C-alpha cells in the first residue's frame, strides 16, 4: 500500500480510534489541541480509559509548563479528576495508575494518596517504556516522604 492509502485496519475518520490516534500525535506538539481531541473521544465514549487518562495527563503536562498560580492549580485539579475517572472506568489500566501517582505526589504533595496508585502501576508489569521512565524512582521518593512525615506506608490494595 502507498503511504496514506486506506486499508482494512485504518480507522474511520472521526471514529474513537482515529481521534485517539490524532490526539496521541498532538500531545507534545500541540497539547491544547490534544486535550480538545481527547474531549471529543470522551463525548463519544465517556468511559474510554485511554482518553480520560491522557486527557488528564496532558492537562498536567500543560500545568508543568506554567508558573505557580490559580490557572496551574485549576489544571492540576482537572488532571486529577480525569485520572480518577479513568481509574474508575478501568482500574486495571496501568497508565492511569502511574499518572495518578505522579500528579498526586509531584503536584499535590500527597504521598499517601500517591502510594496506592503507584503500587498498582508498578504491579501491572505492562508499562510502556515512556511511562515506566516517568515513574522510575517515584516509589522510593513516596516512601521517603511518608517516613519523613511520620506517616506509615499503607498496605497495597
Amino acid at each position: 500500500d502507498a503511504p496514506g492509502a486506506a486499508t482494512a485496519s485504518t480507522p474511520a475518520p472521526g471514529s474513537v480510534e482515529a481521534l485517539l490516534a490524532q490526539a496521541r500525535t498532538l500531545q507534545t506538539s500541540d497539547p491544547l489541541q490534544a486535550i480538545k481531541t481527547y474531549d471529543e473521544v470522551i463525548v463519544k465514549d465517556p468511559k474510554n480509559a485511554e482518553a480520560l487518562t491522557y486527557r488528564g495527563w496532558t492537562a498536567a503536562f500543560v500545568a508543568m509548563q506554567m508558573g505557580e498560580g490559580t490557572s496551574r492549580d485549576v489544571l492540576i485539579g482537572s488532571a486529577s479528576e480525569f485520572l480518577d475517572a479513568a481509574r474508575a472506568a478501568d482500574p486495571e489500566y496501568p497508565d492511569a495508575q502511574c499518572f495518578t501517582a505522579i500528579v498526586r505526589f509531584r503536584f499535590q504533595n500527597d504521598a499517601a494518596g500517591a502510594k496506592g496508585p503507584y503500587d498498582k502501576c508498578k504491579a501491572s508489569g505492562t508499562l510502556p517504556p515512556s511511562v515506566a521512565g516517568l515513574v522510575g524512582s517515584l516509589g522510593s521518593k513516596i516512601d521517603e516522604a511518608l517516613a519523613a512525615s511520620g506517616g506509615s506506608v499503607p498496605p497495597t490494595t
Side-chain angles (χ1 to χ4, degrees), residues 7-82:
T7 65
S9 63
T10 301
S15 68
V16 165
E17 294 79 16
L19 289 169
L20 283 171
Q22 179 185 357
R24 282 183 215 116
T25 65
L26 293 168
Q27 256 184 280
T28 54
S29 64
D30 190 350
L32 296 178
Q33 187 58 48
I35 287 172
K36 290 176 185 175
T37 307
Y38 285 125
D39 285 343
E40 288 182 56
V41 173
I42 294 164
V43 167
K44 291 176 182 253
D45 183 1
K47 295 197 181 288
N48 187 296
E50 180 182 344
L52 291 165
T53 297
Y54 281 88
R55 200 279 186 208
W57 181 242
T58 305
F61 175 79
V62 171
M64 280 189 266
Q65 315 304 314
M66 303 175 80
E68 297 291 324
T70 304
S71 296
R72 183 177 190 262
D73 294 344
V74 168
L75 273 175
I76 295 299
S78 172
S80 186
E81 288 173 22
F82 278 96

Side-chain angles (χ1 to χ4, degrees), residues 112-126:
K115 180 67 176 160
Y118 174 81
D119 288 345
K120 280 188 131 180
C121 161
K122 290 303 276 189
S124 74
T126 58

